[in-house]
Amino acid sequence: MTLTLTVSDEVRALAPGFTHVAVEARGLVNGPSDEASSALLDEAARRLRERLGALAPHEDPHMAAWRDAYTAFGAKPSRTRNSAEALARRALADGGLPRINRLVDVYNAISVAHLIPVGGEDTDHIVGSMRLVRATGDEPFPTVAGGETAVEHPDAGEVVWCDDEGVTCRRWNWRQGVRTRLTEDSVNALFLLEGMAPYCALEEAAAELAELLEKVGPGAGITVHAPVAAGA
Protein backbone atom coordinates (compact mmCIF):
# COMPACT_ATOMS: atom_id res chain seq x y z
CA MET A 1 0.00 0.00 0.00
CA THR A 2 1.32 3.44 -0.93
CA LEU A 3 -0.10 4.94 2.27
CA THR A 4 0.62 3.18 5.55
CA LEU A 5 -2.34 2.58 7.90
CA THR A 6 -1.83 1.41 11.47
CA VAL A 7 -4.14 0.68 14.40
CA SER A 8 -2.70 1.36 17.86
CA ASP A 9 -2.59 -1.29 20.56
CA GLU A 10 -4.90 0.87 22.69
CA VAL A 11 -7.58 0.77 19.99
CA ARG A 12 -7.06 -2.96 19.47
CA ALA A 13 -7.69 -3.51 23.18
CA LEU A 14 -10.75 -1.26 23.12
CA ALA A 15 -12.41 -2.98 20.14
CA PRO A 16 -10.89 -6.39 19.36
CA GLY A 17 -13.61 -6.97 16.76
CA PHE A 18 -12.60 -3.99 14.61
CA THR A 19 -11.49 -4.55 11.03
CA HIS A 20 -10.99 -2.36 8.00
CA VAL A 21 -10.48 -2.59 4.25
CA ALA A 22 -8.67 0.10 2.26
CA VAL A 23 -9.37 0.92 -1.39
CA GLU A 24 -6.76 3.10 -3.10
CA ALA A 25 -7.60 5.03 -6.26
CA ARG A 26 -5.30 7.10 -8.45
CA GLY A 27 -6.17 9.20 -11.48
CA LEU A 28 -9.81 9.79 -10.61
CA VAL A 29 -11.94 12.45 -12.23
CA ASN A 30 -14.35 14.02 -9.78
CA GLY A 31 -17.04 16.62 -10.34
CA PRO A 32 -20.42 17.86 -9.14
CA SER A 33 -23.13 15.37 -8.25
CA ASP A 34 -24.97 14.25 -11.35
CA GLU A 35 -27.92 12.10 -12.36
CA ALA A 36 -25.89 8.89 -12.08
CA SER A 37 -24.51 9.58 -8.60
CA SER A 38 -27.92 10.73 -7.42
CA ALA A 39 -29.46 7.48 -8.68
CA LEU A 40 -26.85 5.52 -6.71
CA LEU A 41 -27.93 7.25 -3.51
CA ASP A 42 -31.61 6.59 -4.18
CA GLU A 43 -30.88 2.91 -4.86
CA ALA A 44 -28.78 2.70 -1.69
CA ALA A 45 -31.70 4.03 0.35
CA ARG A 46 -33.97 1.38 -1.20
CA ARG A 47 -31.47 -1.37 -0.31
CA LEU A 48 -31.24 -0.04 3.23
CA ARG A 49 -35.00 -0.18 3.71
CA GLU A 50 -35.01 -3.74 2.42
CA ARG A 51 -32.18 -4.69 4.80
CA LEU A 52 -33.71 -3.10 7.89
CA GLY A 53 -37.33 -4.08 7.42
CA ALA A 54 -39.08 -2.87 10.56
CA LEU A 55 -35.83 -2.11 12.42
CA ALA A 56 -34.43 1.33 13.10
CA PRO A 57 -30.79 1.77 11.99
CA HIS A 58 -29.42 1.58 15.53
CA GLU A 59 -31.18 -1.77 16.03
CA ASP A 60 -29.16 -3.44 13.29
CA PRO A 61 -26.54 -5.77 14.90
CA HIS A 62 -23.65 -4.04 13.15
CA MET A 63 -24.75 -0.61 14.32
CA ALA A 64 -25.25 -2.00 17.84
CA ALA A 65 -21.63 -3.21 17.80
CA TRP A 66 -20.46 0.23 16.76
CA ARG A 67 -22.50 1.81 19.55
CA ASP A 68 -20.73 -0.46 22.02
CA ALA A 69 -17.35 0.67 20.66
CA TYR A 70 -18.31 4.34 20.93
CA THR A 71 -19.48 3.83 24.50
CA ALA A 72 -16.17 2.14 25.32
CA PHE A 73 -14.17 5.31 24.58
CA GLY A 74 -16.62 7.62 26.33
CA ALA A 75 -18.84 8.87 23.50
CA LYS A 76 -22.63 8.85 23.80
CA PRO A 77 -23.76 6.90 20.70
CA SER A 78 -27.27 8.34 20.77
CA ARG A 79 -25.76 11.82 20.37
CA THR A 80 -22.52 11.04 18.54
CA ARG A 81 -23.49 8.50 15.89
CA ASN A 82 -21.02 6.63 13.71
CA SER A 83 -21.09 7.82 10.11
CA ALA A 84 -23.08 4.85 8.78
CA GLU A 85 -25.86 5.21 11.32
CA ALA A 86 -26.03 8.97 10.75
CA LEU A 87 -26.27 8.53 6.97
CA ALA A 88 -28.84 5.75 7.34
CA ARG A 89 -31.08 8.01 9.40
CA ARG A 90 -30.85 10.69 6.71
CA ALA A 91 -31.54 8.15 3.96
CA LEU A 92 -34.78 7.13 5.70
CA ALA A 93 -35.89 10.70 6.41
CA ASP A 94 -38.05 12.77 4.08
CA GLY A 95 -35.16 14.89 2.85
CA GLY A 96 -33.07 11.88 1.85
CA LEU A 97 -29.31 11.77 1.42
CA PRO A 98 -27.28 14.89 0.61
CA ARG A 99 -25.62 15.23 -2.78
CA ILE A 100 -21.99 16.39 -2.30
CA ASN A 101 -19.90 15.45 -5.34
CA ARG A 102 -19.59 12.32 -7.46
CA LEU A 103 -16.91 10.58 -5.37
CA VAL A 104 -18.54 11.37 -2.04
CA ASP A 105 -21.91 10.28 -3.42
CA VAL A 106 -20.38 6.95 -4.48
CA TYR A 107 -18.86 6.11 -1.12
CA ASN A 108 -21.92 7.36 0.77
CA ALA A 109 -24.04 5.04 -1.36
CA ILE A 110 -21.84 2.07 -0.42
CA SER A 111 -22.03 3.07 3.25
CA VAL A 112 -25.83 3.21 3.22
CA ALA A 113 -26.42 0.11 1.08
CA HIS A 114 -24.13 -2.05 3.25
CA LEU A 115 -24.67 -0.15 6.52
CA ILE A 116 -20.95 0.25 7.19
CA PRO A 117 -18.88 3.37 7.89
CA VAL A 118 -16.99 4.43 4.75
CA GLY A 119 -14.69 7.42 4.51
CA GLY A 120 -12.80 9.05 1.66
CA GLU A 121 -9.50 10.90 2.03
CA ASP A 122 -7.63 12.98 -0.55
CA THR A 123 -4.21 11.32 -0.35
CA ASP A 124 -2.51 14.38 -1.86
CA HIS A 125 -3.32 16.14 1.42
CA ILE A 126 -2.32 13.34 3.79
CA VAL A 127 0.99 14.04 5.55
CA GLY A 128 3.00 10.91 6.37
CA SER A 129 1.13 7.80 7.52
CA MET A 130 -2.39 7.42 8.90
CA ARG A 131 -2.97 6.03 12.36
CA LEU A 132 -6.03 5.07 14.40
CA VAL A 133 -5.21 6.06 17.97
CA ARG A 134 -6.67 7.26 21.24
CA ALA A 135 -6.10 11.01 21.31
CA THR A 136 -4.07 12.90 23.87
CA GLY A 137 -6.38 15.90 23.44
CA ASP A 138 -3.67 18.16 22.03
CA GLU A 139 -3.94 17.16 18.37
CA PRO A 140 -5.27 19.85 15.98
CA PHE A 141 -8.45 19.17 14.03
CA PRO A 142 -9.13 21.74 11.28
CA THR A 143 -12.85 22.22 10.71
CA VAL A 144 -15.49 24.85 9.93
CA ALA A 145 -17.67 26.39 12.64
CA GLY A 146 -20.29 29.00 11.89
CA GLY A 147 -19.00 29.35 8.35
CA GLU A 148 -15.48 30.18 9.54
CA THR A 149 -12.39 27.99 9.60
CA ALA A 150 -11.50 26.83 13.09
CA VAL A 151 -9.20 24.40 14.87
CA GLU A 152 -10.71 22.04 17.45
CA HIS A 153 -9.08 19.40 19.60
CA PRO A 154 -10.41 15.91 20.36
CA ASP A 155 -11.20 14.79 23.88
CA ALA A 156 -8.45 12.89 25.66
CA GLY A 157 -9.00 9.19 25.03
CA GLU A 158 -11.20 9.75 21.98
CA VAL A 159 -10.53 7.39 19.07
CA VAL A 160 -9.31 9.37 16.05
CA TRP A 161 -7.72 8.87 12.69
CA CYS A 162 -4.70 11.15 12.30
CA ASP A 163 -1.64 11.75 10.15
CA ASP A 164 1.61 13.58 10.89
CA GLU A 165 -0.14 16.96 10.76
CA GLY A 166 -3.15 16.28 12.98
CA VAL A 167 -6.54 14.63 13.22
CA THR A 168 -8.24 13.71 9.94
CA CYS A 169 -11.42 12.25 11.45
CA ARG A 170 -12.81 12.61 14.98
CA ARG A 171 -14.55 9.96 17.09
CA TRP A 172 -13.47 7.14 14.80
CA ASN A 173 -15.63 8.07 11.80
CA TRP A 174 -18.02 10.66 13.20
CA ARG A 175 -16.71 13.86 11.59
CA GLN A 176 -14.09 14.28 8.88
CA GLY A 177 -11.73 17.25 8.83
CA VAL A 178 -11.70 19.74 5.98
CA ARG A 179 -8.00 19.33 5.14
CA THR A 180 -8.25 15.84 3.64
CA ARG A 181 -11.85 15.64 2.45
CA LEU A 182 -12.60 14.83 -1.18
CA THR A 183 -13.41 17.86 -3.30
CA GLU A 184 -14.24 18.24 -6.97
CA ASP A 185 -10.51 18.73 -7.59
CA SER A 186 -9.44 15.46 -5.95
CA VAL A 187 -7.70 12.92 -8.21
CA ASN A 188 -6.06 10.51 -5.74
CA ALA A 189 -8.00 9.02 -2.86
CA LEU A 190 -8.09 6.45 -0.11
CA PHE A 191 -11.44 4.93 0.83
CA LEU A 192 -11.66 3.25 4.21
CA LEU A 193 -14.41 0.73 4.97
CA GLU A 194 -14.72 -0.13 8.67
CA GLY A 195 -16.45 -2.98 10.44
CA MET A 196 -17.07 -4.52 13.84
CA ALA A 197 -17.40 -8.24 14.45
CA PRO A 198 -19.47 -10.24 13.72
CA TYR A 199 -19.96 -8.23 10.50
CA CYS A 200 -17.92 -9.90 7.74
CA ALA A 201 -18.98 -8.41 4.39
CA LEU A 202 -16.41 -5.62 4.04
CA GLU A 203 -14.77 -7.31 1.06
CA GLU A 204 -18.09 -7.46 -0.80
CA ALA A 205 -18.68 -3.75 -0.14
CA ALA A 206 -15.10 -2.90 -1.18
CA ALA A 207 -15.49 -4.80 -4.45
CA GLU A 208 -18.69 -2.91 -5.22
CA LEU A 209 -17.01 0.39 -4.38
CA ALA A 210 -14.09 -0.42 -6.70
CA GLU A 211 -16.53 -1.24 -9.52
CA LEU A 212 -18.37 2.05 -9.07
CA LEU A 213 -15.11 4.04 -8.93
CA GLU A 214 -14.04 2.50 -12.24
CA LYS A 215 -17.31 3.66 -13.78
CA VAL A 216 -16.93 7.17 -12.39
CA GLY A 217 -13.29 7.40 -13.47
CA PRO A 218 -12.51 5.08 -16.39
CA GLY A 219 -8.78 4.46 -16.52
CA ALA A 220 -8.20 5.17 -12.83
CA GLY A 221 -5.93 2.78 -10.95
CA ILE A 222 -7.98 1.01 -8.27
CA THR A 223 -6.45 -1.32 -5.65
CA VAL A 224 -8.49 -3.17 -3.05
CA HIS A 225 -6.37 -4.25 -0.10
CA ALA A 226 -7.03 -7.29 2.06
CA PRO A 227 -9.00 -6.79 5.28
CA VAL A 228 -6.98 -5.93 8.37
CA ALA A 229 -8.38 -7.04 11.72
CA ALA A 230 -7.66 -5.19 14.94
CA GLY A 231 -5.76 -8.13 16.31
CA ALA A 232 -3.57 -8.52 13.21
Side-chain angles (χ1 to χ4, degrees):
M1 182 184 292
T2 306
L3 182 66
T4 302
L5 301 176
T6 58
V7 179
S8 72
D9 290 342
E10 287 184 316
V11 174
R12 295 177 195 275
L14 179 78
F18 173 68
T19 184
H20 64 82
V21 173
V23 178
E24 283 189 285
R26 302 192 67 81
L28 293 164
V29 178
N30 199 8
S33 300
D34 57 18
E35 185 176 341
S37 70
S38 183
L40 285 175
L41 292 170
D42 289 340
E43 173 61 11
R46 185 199 65 78
R47 290 167 64 183
L48 175 67
R49 293 187 186 95
E50 185 176 275
R51 173 194 176 113
L52 289 174
L55 296 178
H58 71 272
E59 294 174 312
D60 179 89
H62 191 217
M63 295 298 92
W66 272 105
R67 282 188 164 222
D68 289 343
Y70 269 50
T71 300
F73 70 81
K76 294 182 178 179
S78 60
R79 295 177 57 188
T80 305
R81 297 180 176 89
N82 73 80
S83 64
E85 184 182 329
L87 274 177
R89 286 169 58 88
R90 295 192 70 171
L92 299 174
D94 290 340
L97 289 163
R99 274 58 173 165
I100 309 298
N101 59 57
R102 287 202 298 266
L103 289 179
V104 175
D105 291 352
V106 164
Y107 80 72
N108 279 348
I110 293 296
S111 176
V112 169
H114 292 269
L115 203 52
I116 58 173
V118 182
E121 304 284 354
D122 188 323
T123 52
D124 291 330
H125 295 283
I126 295 292
V127 180
S129 62
M130 287 187 64
R131 302 173 296 281
L132 187 66
V133 302
R134 300 197 70 175
T136 64
D138 296 325
E139 301 90 342
F141 176 71
T143 186
V144 175
E148 301 291 334
T149 56
V151 175
E152 298 178 354
H153 298 276
D155 298 328
E158 182 181 320
V159 175
V160 297
W161 279 102
C162 63
D163 65 2
D164 292 353
E165 193 166 305
V167 173
T168 58
C169 196
R170 284 196 60 188
R171 296 183 187 172
W172 218 312
N173 46 50
W174 168 65
R175 190 203 300 173
Q176 185 181 31
V178 296
R179 173 169 57 90
T180 60
R181 66 185 176 184
L182 294 177
T183 69
E184 293 180 17
D185 297 323
S186 297
V187 294
N188 301 310
L190 175 78
F191 300 90
L192 194 62
L193 297 81
E194 300 179 296
M196 290 284 177
Y199 187 85
C200 58
L202 288 184
E203 289 177 279
E204 177 186 339
E208 185 178 348
L209 174 60
E211 182 180 344
L212 291 177
L213 290 173
E214 288 170 353
K215 290 180 180 178
V216 171
I222 312 293
T223 304
V224 180
H225 297 275
V228 178

